[in-house]
Amino acid sequence: MDQNRTERLRERLQAELSPTVLEITDDSHLHAGHAGAASGGGHYSVKIASEKFAGLTLVMRHRLVYDAVHEMINKAEIHALAITAIAPSEQA
């Protein structure tokens, strides 16, 4: 697990989306040997709740997350990102 990369991901999401919940799981070990893993980019799952998601469609919420980490994606630090994005009012 690349702790520095995970922390950079956390910092970017916190700075851009001010989440009330942010859970990041590094799933890279599950993808060892697959073609996308050859770039060295990590595979992550993110659960995030942010007021900025209120009233937005799922696609728009995902766009905000991708916009927050686009630099990491462009530099191939992130290969895949599975996103669960909710507004705090939607939490069970």
Side-chain angles (χ1 to χ4, degrees), residues 2-87:
D2 186 333
Q3 195 64 32
N4 290 334
R5 187 182 300 161
T6 302
E7 282 309 308
R8 283 195 307 278
L9 176 57
R10 180 178 308 284
E11 289 168 5
R12 293 215 166 106
L13 292 172
Q14 287 175 331
E16 295 294 323
L17 300 172
S18 303
T20 56
V21 172
L22 180 56
E23 298 172 12
I24 300 172
T25 305
D26 185 341
D27 299 322
S28 300
H29 65 283
L30 301 174
H31 301 274
H34 117 288
S39 70
H43 292 69
Y44 297 92
S45 296
V46 173
K47 178 180 179 183
I48 183 169
S50 173
E51 287 294 342
K52 294 185 179 191
F53 298 150
L56 298 181
T57 65
L58 185 61
V59 170
M60 293 169 76
R61 293 173 183 193
H62 283 213
R63 174 53 43 210
L64 286 178
V65 172
Y66 283 120
D67 286 350
V69 299
H70 75 278
E71 185 178 309
M72 292 182 74
I73 293 170
N74 288 346
K75 291 182 177 179
E77 291 183 79
I78 297 174
H79 173 71
L81 190 59
I83 303 168
T84 301
I86 59 173

